[in-house]
Amino acid sequence: MTATSHGRARFLWAAVSVVFVETIITGLALAPAVLFLHWQATWPLSTWLRLALASLAFVPVYLACACSLMLYSALATKALGWRTPANVELPLGDFSWPVLNWGRYLMTIHVVRIFAGPAFRSTTIWNWYMRLNGARVGRNVWVNSLSLMDHNLLEFADGVVIGSDAHVSGHVVERGILKTAAVRLDRNTLVGIGSVVGIGVESGADVQVGALSVVPKFAKLEAGGVYVGVPVVRLH
């Protein structure tokens, strides 16, 4: 087989495997809800009363399924070694195993943030999921955004606040090349609403990034500074 054929075979295997794993994870997460509805259907009650009880159970059942999905997804990616490789520059078109593992890792994060993120973002439960999924998250961290990827390359010290719709990621794709680097935010760093933090960014303590700002990749933000703009500049 040629190198191109090997790459296509790897891509096909990765696609099939992530669908299989997500099917198992989702099935396990939904199992309690399915069992509850099956059990509830056997109760000696009128149809209307059973429907009313099933409706009232929707929210707690959904929350239980969402928590299960976060748990199983994080455990599966850890067991399978699906992570974003650190400090690499890899062609996407080669479909190398590090690239494919990165893709499968991001797919599992995407599924969780769709089905569990709306309920749990900006809570300690979301922080717990990110830690279990590879992130290093300190105490009293508040993440009010679902646009955080590459959890294993994110490090948030105590008191970090990520505003709504802020984008923080450990990867960027430029001209077909996957580039990765860790993002490290020191204590009490604030990332404003809708801001973008590039790969390799490091902030000192007590840094503030204004809303709708862009922090370029590999930028070093000095402690105590206030940064705004596209790209950011220090105000004081």
Side-chain angles (χ1 to χ4, degrees), residues 1-219:
M1 294 178 67
T2 65
T4 301
S5 298
H6 279 294
R8 290 173 179 171
R10 288 193 297 268
F11 175 80
L12 179 61
W13 166 249
V16 171
S17 65
V18 75
V19 170
F20 176 78
V21 170
E22 287 301 322
T23 300
I24 298 299
I25 291 172
T26 305
L28 289 173
L30 289 173
V34 174
L35 291 173
F36 171 79
L37 292 175
H38 177 74
W39 175 55
Q40 187 263 349
T42 65
W43 296 354
L45 302 172
S46 68
T47 301
W48 289 109
L49 187 54
R50 283 203 301 270
L51 287 174
L53 291 175
S55 299
L56 291 173
F58 176 80
V59 170
V61 167
Y62 162 69
L63 294 177
C65 291
C67 287
S68 298
L69 180 64
M70 289 188 286
L71 174 64
Y72 298 146
S73 179
L75 291 178
T77 58
K78 183 176 182 179
L80 294 169
W82 293 354
R83 289 290 188 266
T84 301
N87 305 314
V88 299
E89 294 189 9
L90 298 171
L92 291 180
D94 287 352
F95 299 125
S96 62
W97 284 118
V99 168
L100 295 174
N101 286 339
W102 162 74
R104 291 185 285 189
Y105 185 47
L106 263 59
M107 179 61 71
T108 62
I109 294 174
H110 182 63
V111 171
V112 170
R113 70 180 183 178
I114 287 177
F115 292 104
F120 290 110
R121 74 177 191 177
S122 73
T123 69
T124 56
I125 294 176
W126 194 249
N127 291 351
W128 163 81
Y129 160 66
M130 290 185 60
R131 289 190 191 100
L132 194 60
N133 205 39
R136 288 162 290 282
V137 179
R139 297 172 298 177
N140 301 317
V141 171
W142 192 60
V143 178
N144 190 30
S145 174
L146 299 180
S147 298
L148 276 69
M149 304 300 286
D150 312 292
H151 292 165
N152 66 300
L153 296 183
L154 303 182
E155 183 175 338
F156 301 155
D158 297 348
V160 167
V161 174
I162 307 296
S164 177
D165 298 320
H167 180 87
V168 185
S169 174
H171 84 271
V172 66
V173 176
E174 297 177 342
R175 298 181 180 180
I177 303 297
L178 170 67
K179 300 178 181 180
T180 68
V183 176
R184 298 181 175 89
L185 305 181
D186 206 345
R187 58 182 177 83
N188 300 325
T189 293
L190 166 66
V191 178
I193 295 172
S195 293
V196 176
V197 178
I199 67 172
V201 168
E202 296 183 6
S203 77
D206 303 307
V207 162
Q208 296 183 48
V209 177
L212 303 176
S213 297
V214 175
V215 184
K217 59 184 181 181
F218 299 106

